[in-house]
Amino acid sequence: MNPVWQGVITIFIGVGGCIGYFYLSNQLLDRVLFPARGPRIGRNITRANAVRPWLFLLPAILALGLYLAYPVVETLRLSLMDRNTGDVFVGADNYARMLNDPKFWEALGNNMLWLLVVPAASTAFGLLAAQLTDRIGWGNIAKSLIFMPMAISFVGAAVIFKLVYDARPEDVAQIGVLNAIYLQLGGAAPVTWLTVPHWNNLFLMAVLIWIQTGFAMVILSAALRGIPEETIEAAIVDGANPFQIFFKIKVPQITGTIIVVWTTITIVVLKVFDIVFAMTNGQWETQVLANFMYDKMFRANDWGMGSAAAMVIMLLVMPILVWNVWTARKEMR
Amino acid sequence: MSSIAGKKSALTWAVHLSVAALVLLWVFPTLGLLVSSFRTTDQIRTSGWWVSLFPAVQNEVFRTADPGAVRIERDGLFMVEGNLYVVAGRAETADDVRAEISAWGVSSREIAAFVPGQTADLGEGETLRVAANGDYVWAGTDDQISGRGQRIFVTAASPPEFTLANYQGVLFDPRNREGMGKAFFNTLTVTIPATIIPILIAAFAAYALAWMEFPGRALLVAAVVALLVVPLQLALIPLLTLHNQIGIGKGYLGVWLAHTGFGLPLAIYLLRNYMIGLPREIIECAKIDGATDFQIFTRIVLPLSFPALASFAIFQFLWTWNDLLVAMVFLIDSSGQTTVMTRQIVELMGTRGGDWEILATSAFVSIAVPLIVFFTMQRYLVRGLLAGSVK
């Protein structure tokens, strides 16, 4: 069957099924199980109202449980198994093998570098862009353009930046901007930027910073607008200069938002896969955890070590997860 | 800040300039790819894309047509007439020539000896005249106008030149070696159901979490917040195994389900945050009037939540359209029939890494749709980001 038709039919089945489920189950509840009439009307209404939330929630709970909660447990189990010898429990064996793999340490080290650089740089650039564009006439257009990379896929961004980093032999014209500028500034010979260990990580990070800055800018710009005007006016009256106003009045008031932006980008960084996969595939010492995991799972077919690597990512996400839940619960009270 | 007199103008200028620099820095890389996708293979290989925005001044060597066939005789004088660009096969007729010659010469030591329109004396009565558009007249005796055509060195400025041929090749070429046309439709097939299905499921759940009283509600909200950040990397192997066991295997159904599952936490979170902000009176009034929860949801809450639904739809659309990992794991099988654009581009980067005209064009085909969505619905996107930024 043509997949387009398959898609159309699936939309109908999916949407129709959802509507049908919600409508029919509510009907069943109100008409058949606990009808709002007869001698026990009061008790029936109470019972129907007690059951109804679960009718509304059931599909979501099933999907969340199956597609996100169950895999966490299953991955933990797989990371303790050896698949090749037929699902035998091997304890921490996979983890031990992983810790002995120099590629893992390289990936972990690089990931830490990403974690240090990307959220900090994106947030800083975002804050700068938010502050600068806030008070100029064409600020909204500028914001749109800085925000635009958010819509571009990691793969698309990888192609865009591969062109920027392109290197040609010394005697022909450079078509990569970076090399053209480098030679203009007196560089000796064109550099293949992505193959220079350690620096190449920075060139990969630049791609993610380029994408995430817009996100940081949008959120921080809204936060900056939310700052009470009086605090700034008071500072002006007291003779504060623009830099003092920014760093001593504005930034402290939006610390909460800065943390949210920072952690959000941190999560993105921990999961970063496409950029490395498309641009270097982990060569030249640019491996990161997510790509290492993909390598182990689908290239080496080593589910044990792949799952162990996935658990490491989960472990790194854990503090943020706990912190998010904690703040969300605090807000709910 | 604007009220600080005196310092204002210098500071304002600094702000304008820094924003301009920042915007330029952010747009420049994308612009490079866009411009490259409209250039020919030769242009991309021989010069940087930024050069193509300005008229390019080039030194080139042409040859007049060989006298043998085209030589004419007039008043005892033999001559060859024509256009250099037409002879070189670079233009159909003299009218199509877009370059403008600023100087020319006949020896490699003096390539700019003459100006256009000037008649050059090549000695012993042999003359040559070249016009700005490349028209030439080469005249002389029977002996002089023979053998091979005369070499001519020109310095010419050609205006920026762009072509749609790359897009034609990538999208409509029947041989379609790059497979982007097919991949485009595959991507669309993945994206649309994967965007629509989670919305309904999430909307019902969000309503329950926002407006219904039941034990365990706070716990469920906390669970949704927790699941927001669970890396989907953990789900790959367990779910692929599951899909294989229940017979879905790799295919569209699997990828739709996976995207639905992965998109739900954000959907529920966004929609709940929005719904909880709806005015309590409306919902309570409806309840007093005897509306059931189902009616309140479908008649009141759902229509009022349109902005939040739109926000999530855009997120999910961008995410599924741009996704590589989920498609590679749950969709693309060894037959390669169901490949999506992101995967296809990665493939092209490997096999045709140097063919920038193909890479740039393919990448831009895949980027174009999200960019259109982005620029037309930016308002909703921003609103969604602000509401869901705990993510």
Side-chain angles (χ1 to χ4, degrees), chain B residues 227-350:
Chain B
L227 290 177
L228 267 177
V229 297
V230 169
L232 66 86
Q233 270 92 352
L234 272 80
L236 303 179
I237 289 287
L239 289 181
L240 190 60
T241 320
L242 181 83
H243 281 180
N244 284 331
Q245 277 165 1
I246 60 176
I248 298 176
K250 279 189 164 198
Y252 286 109
L253 190 58
V255 83
W256 290 328
L257 287 174
H259 275 311
T260 302
F262 300 149
L264 266 183
L266 180 65
I268 298 176
Y269 183 75
L270 272 183
L271 291 174
R272 177 186 170 271
N273 278 1
Y274 189 86
M275 286 177 186
I276 216 164
L278 294 175
R280 179 172 283 274
E281 299 84 52
I282 300 182
I283 290 160
E284 278 174 358
C285 279
K287 269 195 182 151
I288 291 166
D289 288 346
T292 64
D293 275 311
F294 189 73
Q295 285 166 329
I296 294 174
F297 173 72
T298 49
R299 304 265 172 83
I300 300 173
V301 173
L302 210 53
L304 283 179
S305 305
F306 176 76
L309 296 175
S311 297
F312 171 73
I314 297 167
F315 270 121
Q316 181 76 353
F317 175 82
L318 290 180
W319 156 242
T320 49
W321 185 279
N322 289 340
D323 158 76
L324 171 69
L325 185 57
V326 176
M328 278 204 298
V329 174
F330 293 107
L331 175 64
I332 300 165
D333 51 25
S334 49
S335 75
Q337 288 301 303
T338 51
T339 185
V340 292
M341 277 195 289
T342 43
R343 173 71 209 167
Q344 200 62 20
I345 291 168
V346 174
E347 196 100 318
L348 288 175
M349 281 172 104

Side-chain angles (χ1 to χ4, degrees), chain B residues 205-217:
Chain B
Y207 175 77
L209 292 176
W211 287 108
M212 291 166 122
E213 294 290 340
F214 60 93
R217 187 172 78 161

Side-chain angles (χ1 to χ4, degrees), chain A residues 17-34 48 51-52 54-59, chain B residues 204 294:
Chain A
C18 277
I19 294 174
Y21 159 78
F22 287 116
Y23 182 74
L24 291 177
S25 64
N26 271 282
Q27 288 291 322
L28 184 76
L29 191 69
D30 289 332
R31 297 280 153 82
V32 184
L33 290 180
F34 303 112
V51 175
R52 200 182 327 271
W54 301 103
L55 288 185
F56 275 53
L57 284 165
L58 186 71
Chain B
F204 275 96
F294 189 73

Side-chain angles (χ1 to χ4, degrees), chain B residues 93-117:
Chain B
T93 66
D95 292 333
D96 294 339
V97 175
R98 296 175 67 214
E100 193 167 315
I101 295 171
S102 58
W104 59 279
V106 290
S107 100
S108 57
R109 270 165 296 157
E110 287 180 285
I111 59 167
F114 309 105
V115 295

